[in-house]
Amino acid sequence: MIEQKEHFHGSDLEKIEKIYGIKKETIISFSANVNPLGISYKLKEELPSHIDAISTYPDREYTALRKAIANYIKADHQDILVGNGSTELISLVIQLLHPKKALIVGPTYSEYEHEISLGGGRSHYFRLRESEDFLLNETALFETLTPDTDLLVICNPNNPTSSQITRRTMRNILDCCKEKGIFVMVDETYVEFSENCQEITSIPLTEYYNNIIILRGISKFFAAPGLRLGYAICGNRKLMREMDGFKNPWTINSLAAIAGEIMFTDERYIEDTKRLISTERSRICKLLDNNPAIKYYPPHANFILLQILKEEITSYDLFDLAIRKGFMIRDCSSFPFLDNKYIRFCFMNQEDNDALLDVLQRAVGYTEP
């Protein structure tokens, strides 16, 4: 077995190819959390006809794109700012708010802490507990939030736990934070995969609260990470003007802007995606229900977190075994509060899901009765 030098992420296919000698084109990535349908049907059909757009500068205001997003999410386009992926927008928020002390609900995506650190701030974690199935304990969170906290960071649904927070709970959180002068940044990268997206998204709350900003992107749901297109929704017009003035102009190229205008209107693709993920999420949970060697946590995004209950098997053991079969899963031991007994994988098409499950269940000594 190859000694593990580092943790592999969904975008690390070149590293996998080099270390394992497996051609990256043959790897099925269950780690990247990208929509298995591939890019939008309409985008694939229509984008080539717009190739000449690269000979002109994009609209500096990206008005058509922002209006397309606004129609998709049912918001005012004036409350939307676009950026070079949600990562650029996370960085902008941190740079402008310049939090000295941030509270991050975790385990979660590491980029939040990284950006806060670059800005000279300190990150503290509010821990989602395994004993509570990684669900948010609202009372405990309120007790942890203190007036010296500048920023609260929440990923909803959360990566890697696939747990989520309802809009009712988010409203309570915003009320508490408003009283204590705390700004809230909500990453909704995975919310479109949720079974009850309209009950989970916090976008309607931006009409009433000026202490919240919501970040989204097209990398996961629309399977277009290479386009680097993200957007922020915020009712605090002053903050939005500051962010717009602080960011570089034209961070989104002409083709990416046009692609966004196209894909947000692809209703058939959007419905097909929701149907596929919903079906496979439910089916996979049922298949895992009777396995005594694995515990899963109820998933709401397009991925699932598993705990390995068999003492002699680690997350790296399963990662190594799966990658040798051409399947890349996520060893979650690098996430805060998770150890070498946790793995995560996303939902692909039924055939690939069944093939991966067969490898994992056999590895822990379980076969279907």
Side-chain angles (χ1 to χ4, degrees):
M1 189 175 290
I2 295 174
E3 181 184 354
Q4 188 180 22
K5 301 294 184 184
E6 58 187 305
H7 290 273
F8 297 104
H9 299 264
S11 60
D12 291 339
L13 297 182
E14 286 82 5
K15 293 181 183 178
I16 294 287
E17 183 177 58
K18 182 178 179 181
I19 293 173
Y20 282 89
I22 303 170
K23 288 182 183 275
K24 63 181 181 181
E25 294 81 9
T26 66
I27 298 171
I28 300 174
S29 180
F30 285 84
S31 178
N33 297 341
V34 171
N35 186 341
L37 291 182
I39 63 173
S40 150
Y41 313 142
K42 286 181 68 174
L43 182 62
K44 189 176 291 188
E45 180 182 333
E46 297 179 19
L47 189 60
S49 66
H50 294 277
I51 189 67
D52 288 342
I54 62 175
S55 65
T56 60
Y57 281 97
D59 166 24
R60 193 183 185 105
E61 302 296 324
Y62 295 100
T63 305
L65 173 59
R66 288 163 53 228
K67 285 184 175 179
I69 295 170
N71 186 60
Y72 173 63
I73 64 173
K74 305 296 186 290
D76 188 330
H77 81 280
Q78 295 183 79
D79 294 337
I80 296 169
L81 181 69
V82 293
N84 190 247
S86 58
T87 305
E88 182 195 20
L89 297 168
I90 291 170
S91 180
L92 278 172
V93 173
I94 301 302
Q95 288 178 60
L96 282 171
L97 296 181
H98 200 63
K100 293 179 181 177
K101 179 183 176 183
L103 186 67
I104 303 172
V105 176
T108 195
Y109 182 48
S110 62
E111 191 62 26
Y112 313 132
E113 181 179 358
H114 175 68
E115 289 294 338
I116 291 163
S117 176
L118 287 178
R122 292 179 294 113
S123 293
H124 299 257
Y125 279 89
F126 175 79
R127 183 174 184 173
L128 299 174
R129 299 193 174 276
E130 191 280 333
S131 59
E132 297 172 325
D133 282 349
F134 298 108
L135 299 175
L136 182 76
N137 185 321
E138 194 176 337
T139 302
L141 174 65
F142 293 167
E143 291 173 354
T144 306
L145 289 168
T146 53
D148 65 334
T149 302
D150 305 301
L151 177 68
L152 173 64
V153 182
I154 301 173
C155 183
N156 190 37
N158 186 46
N159 174 24
T161 61
S162 208
S163 52
Q164 67 183 13
I165 301 167
T166 65
R167 186 157 66 246
R168 182 186 295 273
T169 296
M170 193 66 75
R171 183 186 287 272
N172 294 339
I173 291 170
L174 287 170
D175 285 337
C176 176
C177 288
K178 188 77 172 172
E179 289 178 12
K180 298 178 180 180
I182 301 169
F183 197 84
V184 183
M185 182 170 73
V186 181
D187 186 343
E188 288 193 351
T189 294
Y190 298 102
V191 76
E192 291 139 297
F193 292 110
S194 175
E195 199 76 42
N196 304 304
C197 177
Q198 295 311 311
E199 296 175 19
I200 302 304
T201 179
S202 295
I203 288 174
L205 299 179
T206 60
E207 272 190 71
Y208 310 103
Y209 293 87
N210 65 357
N211 63 328
I212 180 174
I213 189 166
I214 299 164
L215 307 177
R216 286 194 186 182
I218 62 168
S219 295
K220 307 303 184 181
F221 189 84
F222 287 98
L227 282 178
R228 308 310 309 139
L229 172 59
Y231 56 101
I233 309 98
C234 181
N236 186 329
R237 298 279 174 88
K238 180 177 181 292
L239 175 62
M240 293 294 265
R241 286 195 298 271
E242 288 176 351
M243 287 178 65
D244 195 27
F246 195 74
K247 71 191 287 290
N248 292 324
W250 303 305
T251 55
I252 302 168
N253 68 66
S254 299
L255 285 181
I258 292 169
E261 294 172 38
I262 295 169
M263 68 177 67
F264 289 119
T265 64
D266 195 343
E267 294 180 7
R268 185 166 66 91
Y269 172 87
I270 291 167
E271 288 307 311
D272 285 353
T273 298
K274 290 179 178 293
R275 188 181 307 110
L276 172 63
I277 297 303
S278 176
T279 299
E280 286 304 289
R281 180 167 50 215
S282 175
R283 192 180 68 87
I284 287 170
C285 287
K286 287 178 182 176
L287 290 173
L288 293 171
D289 275 338
N290 299 318
N291 189 334
I294 289 175
K295 176 181 179 180
Y296 73 85
Y297 303 90
H300 297 281
N302 64 324
F303 53 84
I304 188 167
L305 180 70
L306 307 183
Q307 182 186 18
I308 306 158
L309 302 180
K310 205 156 187 178
E311 188 174 341
E312 65 272 23
I313 298 176
T314 69
S315 53
Y316 180 65
D317 292 334
L318 291 189
F319 171 87
D320 185 76
L321 182 63
I323 197 63
R324 292 178 187 279
K325 300 285 187 180
F327 306 124
M328 184 178 179
I329 62 174
R330 182 69 155 89
D331 172 357
C332 291
S333 57
S334 63
F335 283 94
F337 315 123
L338 299 184
D339 57 24
N340 65 353
K341 305 299 283 187
Y342 292 89
I343 63 167
R344 185 200 71 199
F345 64 85
C346 65
F347 308 126
M348 305 294 278
N349 62 59
Q350 181 175 340
E351 182 181 358
D352 290 336
N353 290 336
D354 286 343
L356 174 65
L357 283 176
D358 183 62
V359 170
L360 297 179
Q361 301 221 86
R362 288 180 184 275
V364 296
Y366 178 82
T367 55
E368 288 294 328

